[in-house]
Amino acid sequence: MSTASEQELSHADRHDLDKLARWKSGLDGAPDGSAADFPACAIFLVGPEDREAHDVFRRYRSAFEELGGGFHHLVIFGQHGVSTTQVAFLSEVELGKESVPALVIAPMADGAQEAWCVWLPKGERDGELDESQAWAAALEAVRPAATGKADLSLEGLPGVGACALRHGGLSAAVDGVLAELGA
């Protein structure tokens, strides 16, 4: 894919590409060392109309902050529209655009090639977030790993499927997305 000039990029592309670069920087050298200390990264792949999925993201952000996660442990793509970054990351985990909204939970461990995909609710929500959905069970599985009480595993959780990071571990996956985008 050739690199488009800044003027040719949509707002969604500029926003997500900038976020991708900041995310990569955080993964490579979190100043507080927390990249290695926190066990998971949650990658939200949403559409602008997926308000309920955005609310799930906010729930994860609050939980990750309480557990000591940093910016590089939680990222969202597509909130301003479909972007080339979002499409490239979907390809990285071998998902198509029809999978949106989705959440990918990837281990922070170097070289870990398996991640987990959680399908999120589409569109608006009625009332409170439904805590019986797979996203809530996945978050509850991250909590003991973040506090050192258990290893990170989402195996066997209903509504959660294994997915591979095509380029290897999380950092290599982000490098692969950046390379695909010519960034």
Side-chain angles (χ1 to χ4, degrees):
M1 175 182 276
S2 63
T3 305
S5 73
E6 189 69 22
Q7 297 165 357
E8 295 170 347
L9 294 175
S10 70
H11 172 69
D13 279 329
R14 281 191 308 274
H15 183 268
D16 283 358
L17 193 55
D18 176 60
K19 190 180 300 179
L20 180 66
R22 288 184 294 130
W23 182 32
K24 174 62 178 161
S25 177
L27 287 174
D28 285 348
D32 59 359
S34 63
D37 294 343
F38 199 78
C41 182
I43 304 106
F44 284 77
L45 304 159
V46 303
E49 68 284 348
D50 295 317
R51 305 311 308 160
E52 188 167 1
H54 292 225
D55 290 344
V56 171
F57 169 80
R58 285 188 274 285
R59 184 72 55 92
Y60 267 72
R61 183 176 57 204
S62 294
F64 276 34
E65 286 172 355
E66 289 172 15
L67 294 166
F71 166 82
H72 45 280
H73 296 116
L74 183 74
V75 66
I76 186 170
F77 296 118
Q79 68 207 37
H80 298 291
V82 175
S83 71
T84 54
T85 300
Q86 178 188 40
V87 171
F89 198 85
L90 283 164
S91 175
E92 174 64 32
V93 294
E94 300 177 346
L95 296 174
K97 287 189 224 180
E98 71 281 353
S99 299
V100 172
L103 162 61
V104 175
I105 297 181
M108 291 299 296
D110 283 340
Q113 294 184 355
E114 184 175 68
W116 297 277
C117 295
V118 181
W119 285 265
L120 297 172
K122 292 182 179 279
E124 297 288 331
R125 73 178 162 101
D126 295 323
E128 296 297 312
L129 281 173
D130 183 354
E131 300 280 339
S132 70
Q133 293 186 358
W135 65 264
L139 179 56
E140 290 311 308
V142 171
R143 287 182 190 277
T147 59
K149 295 178 180 168
D151 290 334
L152 178 64
S153 178
L154 280 67
E155 294 298 320
L157 290 178
V160 177
C163 57
L165 297 168
R166 272 191 315 141
H167 288 93
L170 185 59
S171 187
V174 174
D175 287 340
V177 169
L178 284 163
E180 184 175 333
L181 297 173

